[in-house]
Amino acid sequence: MRAAALRLGCFEREATVARDLKGVALAGGGPVGGIYEIGALAALDEALKGVDLVGCDIFVGVSSGAFLAAGLANGISPRDMHRSFIESEEADDPFEPNVLLRPALGEYARRLANIPGLAATAAQAYLDHPFSGGVADSLQRLSAALPTGLLDNQGVGAFLAKLFSAPGRTDDFRALKRKLFLVATDLDSCEAVAFGAKGWDDAPISLAVQASSALPGLYPPVGIAGRHYVDGALMKTLHASVALREGAKLLFCVNPLVPFDADAAARHTHKKRRSLAEHGFPTVMSQTFRAIIHSRMRVGMERYARLFPDADVVLFEPARDDEQMFFTNIFSYSDRRRLCEHAYQKTREELRRRADELEPVLARHGVSIDHDVLADASLHLSRPRAKKRRGPAHALDHVASQLARTLDVLEHALAGVRPR
C-alpha cells in the first residue's frame, strides 16, 4: 500500500506527495565485490535520469555492501567513493587497503592468556575420568584457545568513524536524513539483525559496518551491546526484503558475485575451454561459494516478486562469462583500478543491452535512461596512468592531470552530464 505522507529527507521538510520510495540494496563479496559495486553504482548514477542514488530513500547493505550503503546514506556519491577508495592517492582522507590485512593481535593475546586455565581444566578432566573420555576429549577443551579470526577489521570501523565525522555526515543512524539498514548475523542465535531499524539504531554506523562484514574465520565476531555479530551474508545474500518492507517501490540491487560459466567464456573469447579444476583448490572453492550464494539469491528474488507485487526490483550483476571478475582474487586490491573501470563499463553495456526491458519498468517510477551518456565513449572512471617521474617534470604532470580533471568536470557540466 502506497504511503501518502513521506518525509523528504534531502530537503528536511514534510509534504503530502504521491511518489514512490526508491532504494538501493548492495550485496557482499569481499573487497573485490565492493570494488565492483563502486564501478556499477557510478555507471547507474550518471546514466539514470530522475533518480540520484545518494538521494534515494532507503539503503540496505550486507558485508562489503554495508560499507558502500553507509557511504551513500551519508551523501557520498559513487564518484567520490571511487576517488577515496580506488584512486586513494588523490583523496583528502584515503582508504588504505592494508587496513584489511592487519593481524588480530588483540584476539591472539586474549586467547593465549586463556591457555593455562584451559590446560589445567583439560588435565583435571582427564584425571577425573581417565577411561571415559580419553586424551583427545580432554585436549578438545584447548580448542577454545584458538583465535576466532585471523585478521582485525577494527581499522575499517575506525576509518569510517573518522569519515562520518566530517561536516554534513554522521555516524548515528538516528541523525541520518535517509533510512539505512546494515545487516549482520547474531552469532549465538543465527538470526539476521538489521542495524538501523527501530530498537537497533543506537550502535554507531561504523561499528555496524564492521559487524556486517566480519566474515567468520577471517575476522573475529564484533561485540555490540553484549552480543556478538558476524557477516550478514550468512543468512541471506542481499536482504532486499528489508527495503521492500520499508515501502521501497523501485529498488536497485547490485550483486557482485555470480558463478562462472567456463563454456560460455570459451565461446565468447573463441579460446579452448580450461576446466576450473585445473586452477586448483581456491578456484574450486570460489565457484562453489558463488554458486551457493547466487542460487540462494535467485530464490529470494522470486519470493520478492510474489510478496511485493507492486514493487520493482532491478538487479545488476556481472555476466556469467566475465573472466576478469571471476579470476580476480576475492581479497586482492592489486588490480582495483582496472576492476572498478571494468565494472563501470560493463554496467554501461548492460544498460544499453537491457534498455528495452528496463525502460518501461523505470518509467513507472519517473526514471529514464540517458542514452546520450551511454553513447559517450569518452566517459571513464580512471584515466590511464603514465610511468611515475620525479622532479619538476613530475610536479608539472600532476598539475596538468588536475587541470585536465577540472576541465572534464566543466565539460560534462556544460553538456548536462553530472559526473560523480
Side-chain angles (χ1 to χ4, degrees):
M1 187 170 65
R2 299 183 184 276
L6 303 175
R7 186 165 64 91
L8 298 179
C10 55
F11 297 106
E12 295 185 277
R13 61 185 175 86
E14 292 186 358
T16 301
V17 295
R19 72 172 181 85
D20 290 338
L21 292 177
K22 298 178 179 65
V24 177
L26 303 175
V32 166
I35 291 168
Y36 189 93
E37 288 180 318
I38 290 174
L41 289 169
L44 294 174
D45 203 27
E46 68 186 19
L48 297 177
K49 295 189 294 186
V51 64
D52 184 359
L53 291 188
V54 297
C56 284
D57 306 281
I58 306 165
F59 299 93
V60 178
V62 183
S63 195
S64 58
F67 194 103
L68 305 181
L72 290 173
N74 260 290
I76 304 175
S77 74
R79 284 271 182 178
D80 288 337
M81 292 183 193
H82 178 261
R83 280 189 287 272
S84 294
F85 307 143
I86 310 301
E87 304 284 356
S88 54
E89 68 275 14
E90 298 181 6
D92 295 331
D93 193 10
F95 178 75
E96 298 297 338
N98 61 9
V99 75
L100 298 170
L101 302 175
R102 295 173 182 169
L105 298 180
E107 173 69 5
Y108 299 164
R110 284 190 293 273
R111 297 293 166 172
L112 285 172
N114 291 334
I115 288 180
L118 291 171
T121 301
Q124 188 62 50
Y126 177 72
L127 292 175
D128 291 343
H129 306 283
F131 302 108
S132 61
V135 176
D137 286 347
S138 297
L139 292 179
Q140 187 177 1
R141 297 171 183 266
L142 293 175
S143 63
L146 296 175
T148 56
L150 301 176
L151 303 176
D152 186 357
N153 66 349
Q154 290 185 22
V156 172
F159 172 83
L160 290 177
K162 181 180 179 182
L163 183 68
F164 297 155
S165 67
R169 299 173 187 167
T170 180
D171 199 25
D172 189 335
F173 284 101
R174 297 162 295 190
L176 285 171
K177 299 173 183 178
R178 303 162 185 88
K179 293 182 179 180
L180 171 64
F181 303 96
L182 305 177
V183 184
T185 303
D186 187 312
L187 183 62
D188 293 318
S189 66
C190 211
E191 293 181 352
V193 171
F195 288 102
K198 187 175 182 180
W200 297 95
D201 54 1
D202 53 348
I205 295 172
S206 54
L207 188 61
V209 172
Q210 188 181 332
S212 180
S213 57
L215 184 64
L218 191 65
Y219 298 110
V222 175
I224 300 177
R227 307 287 293 186
H228 287 89
Y229 299 91
V230 294
D231 199 306
L234 262 65
M235 301 306 298
K236 290 183 183 178
T237 304
L238 194 58
H239 288 278
S241 58
V242 174
L244 295 171
R245 290 193 183 98
E246 286 293 319
K249 299 306 177 187
L250 176 60
L251 185 63
F252 296 101
C253 302
V254 182
N255 169 52
L257 295 186
V258 298
F260 181 62
D261 188 337
D263 293 324
R267 290 193 298 269
H268 180 73
T269 60
H270 304 289
K271 295 180 181 179
K272 182 180 179 181
R273 181 184 66 81
R274 183 180 175 187
S275 172
L276 294 183
E278 297 178 22
H279 292 272
F281 177 79
T283 298
V284 172
M285 292 307 298
S286 176
Q287 179 78 324
T288 302
F289 175 72
R290 289 165 182 260
I292 291 172
I293 65 172
H294 195 258
S295 174
R296 187 174 60 180
M297 190 199 68
R298 284 295 178 186
V299 171
M301 295 294 286
E302 293 172 2
R303 186 168 61 249
Y304 302 151
R306 295 194 305 270
L307 297 178
F308 307 96
D310 59 341
D312 289 306
V313 180
V314 184
L315 174 67
F316 294 89
E317 55 186 11
R320 291 282 302 275
D321 61 355
D322 192 335
E323 290 185 273
Q324 190 163 327
M325 182 61 185
F326 182 77
F327 286 105
T328 299
N329 188 312
I330 196 169
F331 294 112
S332 170
Y333 264 90
S334 60
D335 294 327
R336 62 188 187 274
R337 294 180 73 254
R338 172 188 56 79
L339 182 62
C340 199
E341 177 70 23
H342 174 75
Y344 173 78
Q345 297 298 346
K346 287 296 183 181
T347 304
R348 285 165 52 84
E349 289 179 17
E350 185 175 358
L351 284 168
R352 290 193 292 267
R353 186 181 68 254
R354 296 174 61 189
D356 290 344
E357 165 206 342
L358 293 175
E359 285 183 316
V361 174
L362 298 175
R364 289 198 287 267
H365 308 275
V367 179
S368 61
I369 296 175
D370 192 330
H371 290 279
D372 290 336
V373 169
L374 294 180
D376 188 348
S378 69
L379 291 177
H380 296 274
L381 275 181
S382 301
R383 287 179 174 274
R385 288 186 171 181
K387 291 183 178 179
K388 291 184 177 179
R389 294 189 290 171
R390 300 184 181 276
H394 171 68
L396 184 60
D397 283 348
H398 177 71
V399 173
S401 175
Q402 294 295 95
L403 177 60
R405 186 176 294 275
T406 302
L407 291 175
D408 276 351
V409 172
L410 178 60
E411 177 186 350
H412 289 307
L414 292 175
V417 178
R418 181 169 59 85
R420 300 170 175 86

